[in-house]
Amino acid sequence: MKPFMLLLALFLSFPSLAVAADYGKLIDSVDKEKASDSVDAEKLKGSVDGTDIDYKEAYDSVDKEKAADSVDVEKAKEALAD
């Protein structure tokens, strides 16, 4: 799983916000390189054991501050308002 997809899944897990979203603009509001840098790939890989996923460990593999810094809040708000 790519780190960006993990972050996108987190954004889209809020159905009330996602219903009115322009997904293209929402995706563009995330700096993909910064988002990728916010994920500890080794921890993320360690959260998967065969077909089992330790979601807490996967969640903990993301540096929340770096992930938040990867989002252009104004662009995200605009995307959610469309």
Side-chain angles (χ1 to χ4, degrees):
M1 175 185 286
K2 294 193 177 214
F4 172 70
M5 294 306 293
L6 178 63
L7 290 174
L8 182 60
L10 289 173
F11 280 124
L12 298 178
S13 67
F14 301 105
S16 62
L17 294 175
V19 170
D22 178 332
Y23 296 111
K25 285 183 181 179
L26 188 59
I27 289 170
D28 289 341
S29 72
V30 178
D31 181 319
K32 283 89 176 151
E33 190 172 321
K34 285 183 179 180
S36 180
D37 290 343
S38 71
V39 178
D40 183 331
E42 291 303 313
K43 275 187 174 179
L44 184 58
K45 287 178 187 175
S47 69
V48 178
D49 182 26
T51 58
D52 293 328
I53 300 173
D54 181 340
Y55 292 102
K56 169 90 169 93
E57 192 172 337
Y59 176 81
D60 289 342
S61 71
V62 177
D63 181 320
K64 303 337 175 253
E65 277 188 38
K66 286 183 181 179
D69 289 342
S70 72
V71 178
D72 182 328
V73 176
E74 291 306 315
K75 284 184 180 179
K77 284 181 182 179
E78 182 180 319
L80 293 171
D82 287 348

